[in-house]
Amino acid sequence: GEMALQDGDHIILYTDGFSEVENKDGQRLSERRIHKLILDIFINEPNALEAIKKLTQRLKDFMQQPLNDDMTM
C-alpha cells in the first residue's frame, strides 16, 4: 500500500523486542500500549530524537529490570 506523509509526520519502526517487553511481574507491554505511548510522546515532542529518548525511558520505567531482548527503533 501507499501512504501520503505530511510535513511533521513520523514513521516509527520497531522490532518485536518492544512488544515482548515484560515488567518484573511478567506483564507484557501490548501493541496497544506501545502505540499509545508512541502517540502520547510524539504528539507532544516534535523533536524525533528527544521523543525516542522519552519513549526509551518510559519502557525502562515499565520494565524495572534489565533488558532480556534486543530492541531496535
Side-chain angles (χ1 to χ4, degrees):
E2 293 182 19
M3 178 182 287
L5 298 176
Q6 304 299 318
D7 188 36
D9 286 350
H10 300 285
I11 297 176
I12 302 166
L13 306 172
Y14 56 89
T15 61
D16 65 348
F18 283 87
S19 58
E20 295 173 355
V21 164
E22 291 184 356
N23 64 15
K24 61 183 178 182
D25 296 326
Q27 180 182 16
R28 280 203 170 180
L29 188 63
S30 67
E31 291 287 333
R32 174 178 277 153
R33 290 172 83 183
I34 292 170
H35 294 167
K36 183 174 178 349
L37 276 174
I38 289 170
L39 286 174
D40 289 348
I41 291 170
F42 276 84
I43 285 172
N44 297 307
E45 179 56 69
N47 181 292
L49 182 56
E50 290 302 313
I52 289 170
K53 287 178 184 177
K54 289 179 181 182
L55 179 58
T56 301
Q57 185 58 54
R58 296 276 296 274
L59 291 170
K60 287 179 182 178
D61 293 345
F62 173 80
M63 292 187 310
Q64 298 179 349
Q65 63 181 357
L67 182 64
N68 61 1
D69 196 356
D70 67 309
M71 296 170 78
T72 303
M73 185 178 344

